[in-house]
């Protein structure tokens, strides 16, 4: 039985240092939910609080209606996959997977049947009687996953499970994890610092920094309408430009991007507190693929510094008139790559870019706020 | 991030219980000793009279000076001999090098006083070599008794310890470090001085401390071969045991001085070692290469010669055990008479030794597993104190611990003196660290997540410990336990203080037979002890899959 996890005003302190100040969050039944953030952001701490390995200094965690603050980890009915896998090295694959079942008053036959089932799901049947040291990293990963889900947990918790695998295997395994999770339908909380991995597996992502959730949304929302400059720079690559917006007719705003380049934006919504001023300084997040090379010498003037050819796309590093260096991506063309020193003119895809307040904390773009 | 919240669980109770054990059998005896050293039993006053007495008489000060001289000389000499040996073994392919490593190890495993008595048989006034040299060449051999003898015996005994430490360090040293030095123009001696030596300095400091403490505490060697050359352990023993004019209070005062001195050295070493410590791990360890010509011959000669000298005492003792003897002198021809005497007269000591050692070992294994677990996995003020307690046996010499136990448990309500219990307690306290250390070492390598995984799967703390943690620790526990075992059966300095007729051990019997001059019986018993030690050691090497022992 999979559950809804409700976290209310949760506080974590180590001595006098507060690591997580009053965090609230709801993880839906059967959802694949990812905690994403740089190291030290509190994501693993939060996961271990849900698991019961870290104490809770304030607030509550509910599994459905039940408060689990004081419940021992072993009684929360969780399955956990550790970064180090934590495979018992003295037990066979079967012994590892059966370990949790043996605590659950099942007959030998039932245990065997369940173990065989799960071995099929994670596709490691042939290795049933092997010792862990004779398994590859990916196979160990599958054992760890099988061991966690065979007990039919209410919640599956995964702490950077793929960080010890090589790049290729990481991609294979994250697809496997996603498939298996969908198949068994367990509410899953996944911790990672790899944003690409998070995008690939998650239904929803919470981007964390310093114990605070910066943005909570679907992978698409988080990439296209990041809540603040931190999220915009942490998820994918982006360029942050300085500019200003001025009120224009019909509720639209004129965006000044420097050196005389302006665009009219109709999707800007300035909250009441800032709305009094006619002109506002803003930060603009423009992803490399959101630049357009103009043919008619309109837009911002820029000089090519160097280029990186990556097959489908070519990345250019260019210096703007302001001296700022930005990265732009263009689909590779049959013609020659632009040479260093060459002068180009740039515009932005105005429906895609994001406009933030001067501090970078608030996204003015419509659709960014719920 | 590990959680530091306090958990009052079953482990807290276990920590408390072990803590009480240490308070009772280590802290209390040491405190009693301190008390006796400043308390005058007849007048009931507290005074520093015993200390004044010690520092005002040249006789006592001289013993202290002798001890320091012996200890410092042995430590330096052992390091000077052991380091080149380890370097040669690491860099030059020596024929039979695995066997040589085991032999060098064996040479360090016997009780030092057996070496002393064997060297007397070889180089003493009527020793075989002395006689041979004087009758063949007419040359008078230098005197082996006194400082020289102690130095020779202890150095040979201690070289293997430093040898093993340095060998271990060289194994962790990357070949490329040496090559980098060479690429920057350092060759030969300048390479050693600038790169190799600084890299093994932390190791030398660690090994040096161990040797220092052992040499300082050794009682049997100066007693047998020192003759007039008195060191502090001999002094303490005489003051405490001597039938006329023995003075517990004075013996306690000297003990306090020694313990303070040893503690100072210990802390000093920790201070220096901490500043110089770093960790190495080798991607490409230094490989032993085949050398050619003179270098090859010289390297083999040095290694073989050292091994022979190191083993000579034990080999000679084994040889004499098969000789016919007539009271104190060996006569021509071979016989098993010494063994018959050994078994018929004092066969009980072998049973005693086995009984005491096995009971001690069981207690050691139980305590070591629990102590290792609580000090590694349940860090708090209590377990940190426990950790410090377990270090004490490194600092407190065996004879001093023996005296401390005896003066503490001489009277009711805990009248344990003369019982097997007090012997077992002393063995446990002194030999526990070996097993704790190897158990803790393996526990450090076990990821925390493993236990959390078991708990998250619904296992209780006890089930997690017995089903997951303990099986994973077992290899470390067993290898440590074998070391504890070997050092128990070769123990002399505490047993000699605590034994009675009923609890006499093999080492005590060998010692008393040597003192009485029954060399045949002593040799037979020594041989039996050597056989047990070697077999245990081979089992250890087989089980641990290592070629070295870390002491």
């Amino acid at each position: 039985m999979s559950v809804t996890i409700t976290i209310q005003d949760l506080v974590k302190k180590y001595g006098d240092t507060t690591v997580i100040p009053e965090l609230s969050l709801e993880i839906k039944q059967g959802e694949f939910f990812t905690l994403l953030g740089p190291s030290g952001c509190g994501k693993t701490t939060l996961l271990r609080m849900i698991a019961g390995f870290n104490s809770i200094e304030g607030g509550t965690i509910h599994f459905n209606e039940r408060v689990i603050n004081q419940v021992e980890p072993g009684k929360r009915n969780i399955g956990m996959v550790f970064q180090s896998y934590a495979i018992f090295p003295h037990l066979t694959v079967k012994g590892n997977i059966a370990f949790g079942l043996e605590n659950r008053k099942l007959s030998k036959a039932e245990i065997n049947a369940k173990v065989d089932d799960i071995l099929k799901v994670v596709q490691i049947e042939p290795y049933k009687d092997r010792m862990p040291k004779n398994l590859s990293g990916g196979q160990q990963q599958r054992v760890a996953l099988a061991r966690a889900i065979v007990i039919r947990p209410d919640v599956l918790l995964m702490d950077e499970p793929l960080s010890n695998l090589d790049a290729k295997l990481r991609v294979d395994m994250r697809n496997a994890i996603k498939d298996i999770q969908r198949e068994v339908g367990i509410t899953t909380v996944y911790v990672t610092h790899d944003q690409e991995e998070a995008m690939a597996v998650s239904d929803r992502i919470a981007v964390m920094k310093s114990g605070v959730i910066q943005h909570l949304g679907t992978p698409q929302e988080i990439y296209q309408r990041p809540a603040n400059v931190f999220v915009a720079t942490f998820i994918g690559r982006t360029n942050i430009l300085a500019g200003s917006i001025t009120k224009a007719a019909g509720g639209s705003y004129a965006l000044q991007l420097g050196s005389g380049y302006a665009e009219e934006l109709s999707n800007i919504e300035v909250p009441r507190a800032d709305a009094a001023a006619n002109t506002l300084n803003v930060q603009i997040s423009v992803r490399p693929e959101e630049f357009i090379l103009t043919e008619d010498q309109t837009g911002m003037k820029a000089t090519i510094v160097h280029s990186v050819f990556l097959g489908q796309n070519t990345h250019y590093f260019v210096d703007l008139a302001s001296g700022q260096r930005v990265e732009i991506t263009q689909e590779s063309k049959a013609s020659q790559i632009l040479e260093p020193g060459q002068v180009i003119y740039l515009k932005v895809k105005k429906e895609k870019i994001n406009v933030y307040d001067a501090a970078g904390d608030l996204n003015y773009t419509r659709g960014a706020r719920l | 991030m590990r959680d530091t919240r306090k958990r009052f669980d079953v482990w807290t109770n276990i920590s408390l219980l072990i803590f009480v054990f240490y308070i009772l059998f280590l802290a209390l005896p040491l405190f009693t000793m301190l008390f006796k050293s400043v308390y005058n039993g007849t007048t009931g006053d507290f005074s520093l009279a015993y200390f004044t007495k010690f520092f005002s008489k040249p006789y006592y000060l001289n013993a202290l000076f002798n001890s320091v001289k012996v200890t410092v000389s042995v430590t330096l000499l052992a390091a000077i001999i052991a380091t080149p040996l380890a370097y040669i073994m690491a860099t030059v392919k020596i024929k039979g090098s695995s066997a040589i490593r085991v032999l060098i190890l064996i040479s360090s495993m016997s009780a030092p006083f057996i070496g002393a008595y064997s060297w007397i048989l070889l180089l003493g006034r009527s020793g075989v070599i002395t006689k041979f040299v004087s009758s063949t060449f007419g040359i008078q051999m230098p005197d082996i008794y006194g400082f020289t003898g102690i130095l020779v015996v202890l150095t040979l005994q201690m070289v293997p310890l430093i040898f093993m430490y340095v060998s271990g360090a060289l194994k962790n040293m990357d070949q490329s470090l040496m090559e980098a030095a060479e690429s920057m123009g350092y060759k030969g001696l300048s390479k050693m001085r600038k790169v190799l030596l600084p890299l093994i300095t932390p190791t030398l400091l660690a090994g040096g401390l161990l040797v220092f403490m052992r040499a300082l505490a050794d009682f049997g060697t100066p007693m047998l071969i020192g003759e007039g050359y008195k060191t502090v352990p001999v002094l303490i023993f005489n003051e405490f045991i001597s039938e006329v004019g023995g003075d517990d209070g004075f013996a306690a005062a000297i003990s306090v001085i020694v313990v303070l001195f040893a503690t100072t050295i210990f802390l000093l070493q920790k201070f220096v070692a901490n500043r110089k410590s770093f960790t190495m791990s080798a991607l490409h360890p230094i490989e032993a290469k085949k050398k050619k010509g003179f270098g090859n011959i010289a390297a083999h000669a040095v290694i073989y010669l050292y091994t022979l000298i190191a083993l000579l005492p034990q080999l000679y003792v084994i040889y004499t055990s098969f000789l016919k003897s007539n009271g104190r002198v060996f006569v021509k021809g071979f016989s098993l008479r010494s063994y018959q005497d050994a078994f018929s007269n004092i066969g009980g000591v072998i049973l005693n030794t086995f009984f005491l050692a096995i009971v001690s070992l069981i207690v050691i294994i139980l305590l070591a597993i629990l102590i290792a677990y609580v000090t590694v996995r349940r860090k708090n003020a209590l377990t940190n104190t426990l950790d410090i307690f377990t270090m004490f046996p490194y600092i407190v010499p065996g004879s001093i611990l023996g005296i401390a136990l005896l003066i503490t448990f001489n009277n009711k309500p805990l009248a344990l003196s003369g019982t097997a219990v007090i012997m077992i307690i002393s063995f446990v306290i002194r030999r526990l660290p070996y097993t704790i250390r190897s158990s803790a070492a393996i526990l450090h390598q076990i990821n925390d997540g493993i236990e959390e995984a078991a708990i998250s799967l619904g296992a209780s703390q006890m089930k997690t410990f017995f089903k997951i943690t303990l099986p994973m620790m077992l290899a470390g526990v067993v290898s440590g336990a074998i070391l504890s075992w070997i050092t128990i059966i070769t123990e002399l300095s505490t047993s000699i203080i605590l034994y009675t007729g009923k609890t006499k051990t093999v080492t005590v019997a060998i010692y008393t037979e040597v003192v009485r001059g029954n060399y045949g019986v002593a040799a037979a018993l020594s041989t039996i002890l050597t056989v047990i030690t070697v077999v245990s050691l081979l089992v250890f090497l087989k089980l641990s899959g290592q070629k070295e022992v870390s002491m």
Side-chain angles (χ1 to χ4, degrees), chain B residues 299-421:
Chain B
H300 275 81
V302 167
I303 297 290
Y304 289 163
L305 188 68
Y306 168 76
T307 313
L308 181 70
I309 294 174
L311 283 178
L312 195 59
Q314 271 165 305
L315 291 176
Y316 190 68
V317 166
I318 295 172
Y319 167 74
T320 58
S321 74
F322 295 105
L323 290 181
K324 261 188 200 158
S325 65
N326 182 5
R328 305 187 61 128
V329 285
F330 293 113
V331 293
K332 271 210 158 81
F334 293 96
S335 91
L336 290 175
R337 185 61 197 273
S338 297
Y339 286 92
Q340 282 171 8
D341 288 349
F343 280 110
S344 61
N345 296 346
I346 41 178
V349 298
I350 296 172
L351 285 180
N352 276 345
T353 306
F354 271 101
F355 169 72
L356 293 170
I358 288 172
V359 175
S360 306
L361 197 64
I362 293 169
V363 180
I364 284 175
I365 290 174
L366 279 176
L367 284 178
I369 291 171
L370 299 174
I371 292 174
Y373 189 81
V374 296
T375 51
V376 174
R377 285 285 195 263
R378 293 285 189 275
K379 281 196 190 298
N380 56 42
L382 186 68
T383 58
N384 284 345
T385 320
L386 213 52
D387 204 25
I388 295 171
F389 270 146
T390 61
M391 300 241 245
F392 262 81
Y394 285 116
I395 307 172
V396 180
S399 50
I400 291 180
L401 185 71
I403 292 172
L405 284 172
L406 208 52
I407 55 180
T408 312
F409 299 109
N410 221 351
N411 305 307
K412 281 177 182 176
L414 280 165
L416 298 175
S417 58
T419 64
V421 176

Side-chain angles (χ1 to χ4, degrees), chain B residues 89-104:
Chain B
M89 289 287 278
T91 52
V92 183
K93 209 164 208 148
I94 302 286
K95 282 207 171 75
S97 61
S98 335
I100 296 232
R101 281 182 194 276
V102 175
L103 289 175
I104 291 179

Side-chain angles (χ1 to χ4, degrees), chain B residues 110-161:
Chain B
S110 68
F113 77 93
I114 295 179
Y117 122 76
S118 184
W119 281 111
I120 293 175
L121 295 182
L122 289 164
L123 289 173
R125 276 176 210 102
S126 49
V128 245
I129 298 178
T130 319
K131 276 187 181 164
F132 174 78
V133 170
S134 71
S135 63
T136 341
F137 305 105
I139 304 166
Q140 195 62 36
M141 288 285 286
D143 198 354
I144 184 75
Y145 300 94
F147 176 73
T148 326
I150 302 173
L151 188 65
V152 168
V153 172
L154 285 183
T155 303
L156 283 174
Q157 190 80 24
M158 303 303 176
V159 164
L161 297 182

Side-chain angles (χ1 to χ4, degrees), chain B residues 58-120:
Chain B
Y59 173 78
Y60 300 123
L61 274 180
N62 208 28
L64 183 63
F65 174 74
N66 286 347
S67 265
V68 174
K69 186 173 156 192
V70 164
T71 310
V72 172
S73 313
V74 166
T75 310
L76 290 178
L77 200 58
I80 290 168
I81 297 174
T83 310
L85 286 178
Y87 185 72
I88 293 173
M89 289 287 278
T91 52
V92 183
K93 209 164 208 148
I94 302 286
K95 282 207 171 75
S97 61
S98 335
I100 296 232
R101 281 182 194 276
V102 175
L103 289 175
I104 291 179
L105 202 51
I106 288 172
S107 76
S108 75
M109 286 291 172
S110 68
F113 77 93
I114 295 179
Y117 122 76
S118 184
W119 281 111
I120 293 175

